[in-house]
Every structure is written in C-alpha cells, then in structure tokens.
Amino acid sequence: MQDVIIIGAGPCGLSAAIECQRRGLSTRIIEKHCLVHSIFLYPTHMQFFSTAEMLEIGDIPFTTSNDKPFRYEALAYYRKVAEHYGLAISQYEEALTLERKEDQTFLVQTVDRSGTRHQYEARNVVISTGYFDHPNYIGIPGEDLEKVTHYFREAHPYSGMKVAIIGGSNSAVDAAMELIRVGARIDMIYRGETVSENIKPWVRPVFEAMVQKGKITVHVQSHVTEITESSVKIESKDGEISSIENDFVLALTGFRPDRKLLSSCGVELDGDMEKPLYNPETMESNVPGLYVAGVIASGRNANEVFIETGRNHGTLIAEHINASNS
C-alpha cells in the first residue's frame, strides 16, 4: 500500500512526487514511456519559450549558458532531478485501469513492455498524464497516408521536398524555420486570419521576412480538405478549391489529454471542454483522494497549463494529502 501513486513522469508528475516524498509519503510513479516523454517528443533542436528558472522543480537549479534552454538541456535536467531525489519510477509501464475500492483506497492495474501485469494499491492517486500520445486528428481523406505525421522531430528527412504544414502555432512556425535551412519548399495552411499572436517574439520577425522573400507560402483562412500521395487540396474561406503538389504533410494541429482513467473512476468532466472537476486550491477532483496535476487539468485547452504553472500543482497536492493524514 503506497500513500501516493502518480501516473505520469513528466515535469509536473515529478514535482508532485518530490513534494509528496519530502513530506514522508511513500510514493511511486507509473510512466507509460520514458521519463519526461512529452519533452522527448519535442523537435530535436527546440528552444523553450520560458527561461530555465521557470522550468525548475524540487529546488534544483536549472543551469544553462543560453537565454532560454534547449530540449536536450531539459532532458538532462529532469534526469538529474529524478536521480537526485531517488524517485521510484516504473518506466515503460502503462496504467490500464484505475478503481476506487470500497475502503476508499485505489487499485491501479498496469502492464509493462514485456506484457507482464502488475497492480498497486494506494491511498491517493495523482493523474499527471500528458497529451502527446493523442494528436487532434483533422478527419479528412488521406490523413492516414504514410507521408502524413502529427510530429515534427527534425528537418533532415525533408531536404529538398515539398512540405505542407497544417497549423499556425509556434510548433508550425518553428518547423517552417528549420525546413528552410534544408531547402524544403513550404506551404503553411492555417484557418486563422494570421499565424498565432503567441509566436516567440525573437522568431516572428525572421519568419515574416522568410514569407516576404517567398521562402514560405502562407495560406490563411484556408483548410486542407484532402491529402493524396502527390498533392494536398485546400479550400479557402470563399469556397475556392486549389491543389498543391506535395511530398510530405506535417499536421501540427495540437494534442489532447487522455481522460480515460479519470472518467472511469467517476471524475466529472465539464461540458464540451471536458475539463475535470477539481478544487484549484488542492487539485483534488470530485473523487476524494484522486488528484490532477499538469495539463490533464486543462480539459481540451492544452495551452491553459504549462510546466511553469503545472509544476506548482505538486505542492498543493502534497500539502492537502499531508493535512488529511494528520
């Protein structure tokens, strides 16, 4: 019987484990993939929007020689933090079911990469799963073609290719800027009137210059209606259909959290946004002893919670569990 089981070993899950452990609570983390898997899935050369101190957890300094840290630095930092605190982490072990028992404790059933089943009992459970496993699919013909991906890692495979980027957020702009360097021909298709207003301020002027020079063709107020092996079909807001020659499609349309474990255990989800019902002062859901931390607390709006804010959820959770035990 653990005091706390935490599902998800992202920065917010690690922070929750550290804060619980500091208060003498026996704690184990269950992680479906590797440590901080969401950050691992970021583009290889990605630079964070936030400064290093805003990503720190457990009072461990995040040192970097850059104004903003890069992905590889964050991976090293969170590995160091987990090692420093000796966190008990079961990596490559997926939580399949979560059940609240009659005695008000929880049963978590898991499976590891070899197919072996495990089960854990806990007085409290924290759901801190990310969202990179679940892309927002567009639902158009051809989206399942091999040439289409919802993840951008690095530009090299697209050297000299015709690449369509669906989206206008930071991830789409960052991908376009990397693709230029390898000689890709880029079409960016976005439903909005302009690309996102939240583009990194040090990137926006360079991006706009590349658009003006014709290095990137931007199709605003447009959406992709079909993807074929050799083209993408685009419809403008006026209903005009056009076809663009194409080799690869990066459908950077965002991601959504998986709420399966929450809903199966009785956590109420609020309306269309599917935001879990919880107390923002404690992060406890409507199910006593079941907490949320990180982006899972944000419902469908995955941009509502970031590492900078979600890292503080662990303190609220640990303090509430500790107070409940006293």
Side-chain angles (χ1 to χ4, degrees):
M1 175 69 70
Q2 297 280 330
D3 289 319
V4 187
I5 290 287
I6 297 169
I7 302 175
C12 301
L14 296 178
S15 176
I18 291 167
E19 297 305 326
C20 289
Q21 188 169 289
R22 280 174 157 177
R23 289 160 178 80
L25 300 169
S26 59
T27 306
R28 174 165 291 277
I29 302 175
I30 308 296
E31 169 54 51
K32 180 179 178 181
H33 298 292
C34 62
L35 191 75
V36 292
H37 182 248
S38 291
I39 295 177
F40 172 72
L41 289 178
Y42 287 170
T44 303
H45 307 296
M46 192 213 77
Q47 187 174 24
F48 280 83
F49 193 100
S50 301
T51 55
E53 59 266 22
M54 296 300 292
L55 304 177
E56 292 176 354
I57 60 174
D59 298 321
I60 303 295
F62 187 163
T63 57
T64 174
S65 59
N66 303 293
D67 292 336
K68 308 276 196 312
F70 285 83
R71 165 189 170 274
Y72 73 91
E73 294 177 299
L75 293 176
Y77 170 75
Y78 291 116
R79 287 198 305 270
K80 180 180 75 172
V81 171
E83 181 180 2
H84 174 83
Y85 281 100
L87 299 179
I89 306 173
S90 297
Q91 294 188 79
Y92 302 102
E93 189 171 331
E94 180 180 2
L96 298 175
T97 62
L98 172 61
E99 175 189 349
R100 192 161 188 248
K101 300 162 64 180
E102 290 185 2
D103 63 0
Q104 310 306 304
T105 61
F106 295 89
L107 178 67
V108 182
Q109 299 195 52
T110 71
V111 62
D112 63 27
R113 64 192 308 178
S114 70
T116 303
R117 301 269 179 152
H118 307 269
Q119 65 179 30
Y120 303 87
E121 293 181 287
R123 297 178 182 87
N124 303 275
V125 170
V126 180
I127 306 290
S128 188
T129 48
Y131 53 95
F132 266 7
D133 281 350
H134 304 279
N136 293 322
Y137 290 104
I138 308 168
I140 58 174
E143 190 174 10
D144 58 348
L145 291 174
E146 189 175 343
K147 64 183 277 188
V148 181
T149 180
H150 290 268
Y151 301 89
F152 173 71
R153 300 306 302 273
E154 54 185 300
H156 175 75
Y158 308 104
S159 174
M161 297 287 101
K162 303 181 187 74
V163 182
I165 300 174
I166 304 175
S169 64
N170 266 303
S171 59
V173 170
D174 286 349
M177 298 305 296
E178 284 201 42
L179 289 167
I180 287 173
R181 299 188 186 102
V182 298
R185 285 160 284 178
I186 305 159
D187 285 279
M188 182 179 288
I189 304 105
Y190 187 52
R191 289 180 177 270
E193 294 184 5
T194 63
V195 295
S196 171
E197 296 180 356
N198 298 319
I199 301 303
K200 299 168 187 173
W202 62 90
V203 173
R204 179 179 285 277
V206 183
F207 170 76
E208 291 176 346
M210 293 299 101
V211 173
Q212 291 174 0
K213 291 179 180 179
K215 301 285 188 180
I216 304 169
T217 302
V218 180
H219 308 263
V220 293
Q221 296 184 299
S222 302
H223 63 279
V224 177
T225 59
E226 183 181 359
I227 302 169
T228 72
E229 290 287 2
S230 59
S231 69
V232 292
K233 290 184 170 57
I234 301 174
E235 182 177 353
S236 70
K237 72 168 186 175
D238 300 324
E240 182 180 344
I241 304 291
S242 58
S243 180
I244 301 173
E245 288 187 11
N246 173 260
D247 298 309
F248 292 98
V249 175
L250 301 177
L252 305 182
T253 51
F255 302 86
R256 57 179 177 79
D258 183 0
R259 304 164 190 83
K260 177 180 63 178
L261 292 176
L262 289 174
S263 58
S264 69
C265 209
V267 175
E268 296 178 22
L269 302 178
D270 183 22
D272 292 339
M273 294 302 292
E274 296 185 351
K275 186 172 183 176
L277 183 64
Y278 67 92
N279 182 344
E281 295 182 0
T282 65
M283 304 307 294
E284 187 178 36
S285 72
N286 61 285
V287 177
L290 181 55
Y291 299 81
V292 291
V295 73
I296 193 71
S298 66
R300 288 195 178 188
N301 183 12
N303 292 321
E304 182 179 322
V305 177
F306 298 92
I307 297 173
E308 300 92 309
T309 51
R311 64 181 179 152
N312 299 319
H313 293 166
T315 300
L316 301 176
I317 293 167
E319 288 180 350
H320 187 253
I321 294 174
N322 204 39
S324 300
N325 290 343
S326 60

